[in-house]
Amino acid sequence: MSNENQITKTEVVIVGAGPAGLGCAALLKQMGIEDQELIVLERGEIGESFLRWPKDMRLITPSFPSNGYHQTDLNAITPDTSPAFNAGKEHLSGEEYAKYLSMVVNHYKIHVTTNTELETVTSRGPGKGFELTAGERTIHCKFLIWAGGEFQSPNTTGFTGADLCIHNAMVKEWQTLEKGHYVVIGGYESGVDATFNLVTHGNKVTLLDLNGGAQDTFDPSRVLSPYTAERLSTMSNAQGVEYDDNFEVSNVFKQGDGYIVQSTDGKEVFSQYPPINCTGFNIDLGPVTDFFVYQDNGYPWVSPFDESTKIRNVFLAGPRLYHDPTLLCFIYKFRGRFAAPCAVIASELELDTSIFKHYQQAGMLLQELDCCKEQECFC
């Protein structure tokens, strides 16, 4: 990395120090990329999204330090690490997982610039790379991997009156909310999590879901995880919990000291406090938004190497990675694609790709996505 006219020059910039960004960075480090050739930019701290999780939220996929049995921890971002090894539990909190990510950074000596938000990205022309501005820094790079995640972009426009609700991403601790009756909108993972924790802390809850968490698919991106399904089952007969699995919210409005939640077919539910909005997150690629072409469902088009189909050498990693019909939204799914952008970068920078064999043996190299849509369990 050299400094010329206050410009930092490097080969690769990764935006986001979460599991996607650090997973790609750790792979590049193992392939022999030099320290001065790689920069990771993070708007907050390492694992910022996980640090912002509600205190009671847990990873839905279990962790187990099974490396010795040639079984990679589902939440690990490299084949030879395990979040469970130091946390000592299967379902980690956001804070515990962020600590694991920091340990990965230290182990692989990844240079992360924290508390620095990427503001602009411009192309310097074909084959000349990109110019980035981040705070007072100007960076020139050849490759850019966007791994910014989605937690910073909660969906607050999904229905009329959504701005009157509290998005679950805005809740730091469920126990600090006033005791009473709450309506939770959305019966997927975060909706069940919110309901479970609200009930645990002595509240009454009405959980509203359009389809009961059931989808005609085996894809874990679209059905409840066993962890969440079990929690929902334990609440099925609990006092203070009502569950309407055929309630499509159309409107929320204030009425007196409370709130009314209306469905598209005219049903109404009263909420003593602002409803809890658990309808997910928006697609937000920040300053690289215009670098991608988008599908009808809103997901960005990417090549077989997870590269933009509009501008070369801009890649996507993380939970917004979509190869029709496969949505790679969980850590254990999108981590199989770390090698896709890194393979292109390795070819250009003449890096050692022999580590790919180790990743393949660990189940962390997903090349043929057709298998994902055909993987079904019949028992």
Side-chain angles (χ1 to χ4, degrees):
M1 201 185 322
S2 63
N3 194 301
E4 180 178 312
N5 298 326
Q6 302 302 311
I7 293 176
T8 301
K9 296 183 179 181
T10 190
E11 296 288 350
V12 183
V13 170
I14 298 176
V15 183
L22 295 178
C24 290
L27 178 53
L28 288 170
K29 291 289 289 187
Q30 293 173 85
M31 294 162 66
I33 196 168
E34 300 292 338
D35 289 345
Q36 68 271 18
E37 295 177 330
L38 173 65
I39 295 175
V40 179
L41 297 177
E42 169 55 51
R43 69 194 305 180
E45 300 295 337
I46 294 169
E48 181 69 19
S49 293
F50 293 91
L51 293 172
R52 293 186 182 186
W53 271 16
K55 186 177 180 181
D56 295 320
M57 185 176 278
R58 298 292 183 269
L59 291 177
I60 60 176
T61 47
S63 281
F64 190 81
S66 50
N67 307 62
Y69 307 100
H70 307 290
Q71 299 287 331
T72 306
D73 188 314
L74 284 174
N75 300 306
I77 62 171
T78 72
D80 301 314
T81 61
S82 169
F85 186 78
N86 286 286
K89 58 180 66 173
E90 288 188 344
H91 296 279
L92 280 69
S93 68
E95 185 176 346
E96 289 166 335
Y97 193 70
K99 183 177 179 181
Y100 158 73
L101 294 177
S102 292
M103 295 175 70
V104 170
V105 168
N106 292 332
H107 179 75
Y108 291 101
K109 296 180 173 58
I110 301 168
H111 175 63
V112 180
T113 303
T114 57
N115 299 302
T116 303
E117 184 164 0
L118 179 63
E119 297 168 358
T120 65
V121 179
T122 56
S123 173
R124 301 180 61 225
K128 296 182 179 180
F130 308 95
E131 179 170 295
L132 288 60
T133 59
E136 298 180 354
R137 298 183 68 182
T138 298
I139 304 171
H140 285 179
C141 66
K142 185 173 183 179
F143 303 96
L144 178 63
I145 300 177
W146 177 267
E150 59 183 16
F151 198 76
Q152 74 278 3
S153 304
N155 179 13
T156 57
T157 59
F159 49 85
T160 303
D163 57 309
L164 297 174
C165 304
I166 300 173
H167 197 280
N168 72 293
M170 300 295 105
V171 179
K172 188 61 180 174
E173 293 189 44
W174 293 107
Q175 65 181 5
T176 62
L177 299 183
E178 292 186 68
K179 296 293 188 293
H181 175 254
Y182 288 87
V183 169
V184 173
I185 301 172
Y188 194 47
E189 306 287 355
S190 58
V192 176
D193 180 78
T195 301
F196 183 88
N197 286 299
L198 284 167
V199 171
T200 299
H201 291 297
N203 299 284
K204 294 183 177 181
V205 178
T206 300
L207 175 60
L208 306 178
D209 184 21
L210 176 60
N211 53 37
Q215 299 282 343
D216 186 21
T217 176
F218 292 87
D219 186 351
S221 297
R222 294 176 170 86
V223 296
L224 290 179
S225 68
Y227 176 72
T228 302
E230 182 180 14
R231 294 171 108 190
L232 183 61
S233 178
T234 62
M235 294 187 291
S236 60
N237 297 316
Q239 291 185 346
V241 180
E242 295 182 15
Y243 181 38
D244 189 334
D245 63 357
N246 189 26
F247 196 109
E248 182 178 5
V249 175
S250 65
N251 186 27
V252 174
F253 60 90
K254 194 92 165 61
Q255 185 176 83
D257 294 331
Y259 299 81
I260 297 294
V261 182
Q262 282 185 333
S263 72
T264 53
D265 58 3
K267 291 189 289 187
E268 293 186 350
V269 175
F270 176 79
S271 180
Q272 182 179 358
Y273 298 111
I276 308 299
N277 180 359
C278 298
T279 58
F281 302 85
N282 294 317
I283 295 176
D284 181 8
L285 303 188
V288 299
T289 296
D290 294 338
F291 284 41
F292 289 85
V293 177
Y294 295 84
Q295 306 178 53
D296 291 340
N297 59 10
Y299 286 95
W301 283 105
V302 291
S303 76
F305 292 98
D306 301 343
E307 185 178 19
S308 166
T309 58
K310 186 176 181 180
I311 298 179
R312 287 203 58 193
N313 294 339
V314 178
F315 302 89
L316 182 64
R320 284 304 177 182
L321 191 57
Y322 180 78
H323 288 270
D324 188 18
T326 304
L327 175 60
L328 297 135
C329 63
F330 295 141
I331 296 166
Y332 70 87
K333 296 178 76 174
F334 65 67
R335 72 181 184 184
R337 299 296 296 177
F338 293 161
C342 292
V344 177
I345 295 170
S347 177
E348 293 284 341
L349 301 184
E350 299 183 349
L351 302 177
D352 181 4
T353 60
S354 61
I355 189 67
F356 284 178
K357 182 177 181 180
H358 184 42
Y359 270 64
Q360 186 173 35
Q361 292 171 338
M364 289 184 61
L365 203 161
L366 181 61
Q367 294 173 305
E368 298 298 330
L369 292 169
D370 285 347
C371 66
C372 297
K373 63 183 179 183
E374 297 173 355
Q375 274 190 336
E376 298 182 357
C377 181
F378 298 102
C379 56

